[in-house]
Amino acid sequence: AGRNREDVTLIAVSKTKPVSMLEEIYAEGIRTFGENKVQELTEKEEVLPKDIHWHMIGHLQRNKVKQLVGKVCRIHSVDSVRLAKQIQHDFAAKDETAHILIEVNVAKEESKFGFLPEETDAIREIAAMPNIVIHGLMTIAPFVDNPEENRIHFRNLKKLLVDINAKNIDNVSMHELSMGMTGDYEVAIEEGATYVRVGTG
């Protein structure tokens, strides 16, 4: 895709997989793992090596946020201002900073969480929270047989990132795009993904 390998991070989506399997992939040099459930992430974080970067990629309930403080490298799934306020509250209580991505429902699917592309004013509000740093955007594209069908959604997310950066909002300089899964990660990389979330593959 004409990009440096270092510009794209493979997130090994380890949800539902046993620790023994994670150790096998760890031995292959993978250090970035993605989990969908808080309890699973915290249990694995406790027993696995400390140089692993844990990413919370699933829908996050507000009452579970405090369990992630000090354990998670990125929260990809910040899908509401209410959730961001809870993250601010719980991370501030332990004097920690939360590194997040804003989840965007770029295909406008009713079954998906996330801000709609036109709701980006929320980013201004979240960016003002002192214990939160916004690093970029995340989307879960529709499940399709032909990955080319998702190219438009990946392209639109990249365009949204560029547009938001151009607004020069205080504390917002975003560079990360978490998009693309097993079926369509190659198209996502061509369209600028910096994180691909591969589980099934």
Side-chain angles (χ1 to χ4, degrees):
R3 301 176 61 199
N4 294 325
R5 285 185 75 103
E6 301 75 52
D7 294 343
V8 187
T9 299
L10 169 67
I11 298 175
V13 178
S14 48
K15 62 176 182 176
T16 74
K17 302 290 187 284
V19 165
S20 58
M21 203 179 267
L22 275 68
E23 288 171 335
E24 201 177 313
I25 296 179
Y26 180 89
E28 294 290 337
I30 294 288
R31 292 293 178 272
T32 306
F33 289 87
E35 287 288 340
N36 276 49
K37 291 194 164 62
V38 171
Q39 188 180 346
E40 212 175 330
L41 187 153
T42 54
E43 285 172 359
K44 290 172 179 174
E45 190 271 341
E46 249 170 57
V47 298
L48 283 156
K50 291 303 169 203
D51 63 340
I52 288 176
H53 302 290
W54 293 99
H55 291 243
M56 177 66 195
I57 59 175
H59 179 61
L60 179 56
Q61 293 167 304
R62 296 196 307 282
N63 63 348
K64 301 273 178 71
V65 169
K66 59 177 173 289
Q67 297 173 48
L68 292 176
V69 181
K71 297 185 174 178
V72 70
C73 158
R74 290 276 187 280
I75 300 172
H76 289 232
S77 44
V78 178
D79 57 11
S80 71
V81 173
R82 285 177 74 195
L83 174 59
K85 285 178 176 171
Q86 190 68 51
I87 292 170
Q88 166 59 34
H89 176 271
D90 291 346
F91 276 72
K94 295 196 176 169
D95 204 24
E96 293 266 358
T97 299
H99 298 273
I100 72 161
L101 304 178
I102 301 291
E103 181 170 353
V104 181
N105 184 354
V106 78
K108 300 186 177 182
E109 290 184 280
E110 282 184 16
S111 60
K112 297 270 172 70
F113 294 102
F115 293 95
L116 293 173
E118 56 271 20
E119 292 178 328
T120 50
D121 278 354
I123 289 179
R124 203 179 292 274
E125 191 175 345
I126 296 169
M129 298 178 189
N131 291 71
I132 289 181
V133 178
I134 303 172
H135 289 271
L137 305 175
M138 176 269 231
T139 199
I140 299 170
F143 186 77
V144 292
D145 289 328
N146 178 7
E148 280 299 328
E149 291 175 32
N150 278 339
R151 188 179 295 277
I152 184 72
H153 302 309
F154 299 143
R155 191 166 286 172
N156 285 341
L157 194 71
K158 172 73 183 278
K159 183 176 182 302
L160 188 62
L161 183 93
V162 170
D163 289 349
I164 292 167
N165 280 336
K167 290 180 179 175
N168 293 320
I169 301 167
D170 285 349
N171 302 322
V172 176
S173 175
M174 306 188 297
H175 305 287
E176 292 178 2
L177 286 170
S178 172
M179 58 189 195
M181 301 196 282
T182 299
D184 55 17
Y185 73 89
E186 289 158 309
V187 172
I189 288 171
E190 288 170 2
E191 294 301 332
T194 61
Y195 286 121
V196 291
R197 309 180 304 270
V198 176
T200 315

